[in-house]
Amino acid sequence: MTDYQETLNSNPLVDSFIPEPPTINHVQVIQSVIGTLDQTNSAMVSQTGDDAYLWKFKYGSVEVFVQLTGTKDEDTITVWSAVLNLPAQDEPRLMRHLLELNCTSTFESRFGIIDNHVVVISTRTLAGLSPGEVSRIITIVATIADDNDELLQSEFGVS
């Protein structure tokens, strides 16, 4: 490191020009986003720990879940929605279809399997997470799930 860089790194005057990032209340942001997406006033929330929460709301034809594991940078927000129960018809073709969708149309979300359900899911740590990103993650999962659930159920669902 050069003398100039060392001076910059240890100079309190320089530090005073670097603004602190704003503190974001993720709980309020999530509740606000859900309030704009919840079409039937069905939103429910439960506190699962000191700073941990689980929300559920209806968006179109799907139920969307939002889990916040805490409020520290290393905690996570996870958003998911089930779109198809397993087992399904022609599962090899279904899996190929889901992998293709993962590459072409899921943005920051992805299709996966949780407890014998095909889900649309997205997970992100809170470090550096902006309110706009919270809104984007929830909106993407809800929209992709709602856009794909009926098609997947009609094509691959077991009657």
Side-chain angles (χ1 to χ4, degrees):
M1 194 179 299
T2 66
D3 290 338
Y4 176 72
Q5 287 172 320
E6 287 175 10
T7 302
L8 282 178
N9 289 338
S10 64
N11 189 335
L13 184 58
V14 171
D15 291 341
S16 68
F17 289 110
I18 302 172
E20 286 292 318
T23 303
I24 297 169
N25 184 327
H26 294 291
V27 173
Q28 287 180 345
V29 171
I30 291 168
Q31 289 182 174
S32 176
V33 171
I34 289 173
T36 64
L37 295 175
D38 180 20
Q39 300 165 335
T40 60
N41 293 325
S42 64
M44 297 186 308
V45 62
S46 63
Q47 192 164 359
T48 58
D50 288 342
D51 291 328
Y53 296 85
L54 178 64
W55 289 265
K56 177 175 95 169
F57 69 98
K58 186 103 168 132
Y59 183 81
S61 57
V62 296
E63 284 188 329
V64 181
F65 296 86
V66 180
Q67 181 179 37
L68 185 65
T69 62
T71 58
K72 296 182 178 77
D73 280 354
E74 62 273 8
D75 288 316
T76 59
I77 179 174
T78 302
V79 183
W80 74 94
S81 180
V83 294
L84 179 67
N85 294 328
L86 295 175
Q89 296 179 34
D90 197 359
E91 285 193 18
R93 189 168 64 87
L94 169 63
M95 296 307 145
R96 180 182 177 99
H97 180 66
L98 295 176
L99 284 172
E100 289 170 349
L101 289 173
N102 278 349
C103 282
T104 60
S105 62
T106 57
F107 304 100
E108 293 89 328
S109 70
R110 64 199 177 278
F111 285 94
I113 297 174
I114 299 175
D115 295 330
N116 286 320
H117 300 283
V118 174
V119 298
V120 179
I121 188 168
S122 184
T123 301
R124 165 98 158 64
T125 60
L126 299 184
L129 184 65
S130 72
E133 290 172 296
V134 171
S135 178
R136 181 173 169 86
I137 290 168
I138 296 171
T139 303
I140 284 173
V141 169
T143 303
I144 290 174
D146 186 48
D147 288 350
N148 286 280
D149 66 321
E150 292 167 346
L151 175 72
L152 291 171
Q153 291 166 20
S154 69
E155 191 167 344
F156 299 101
V158 176
S159 304

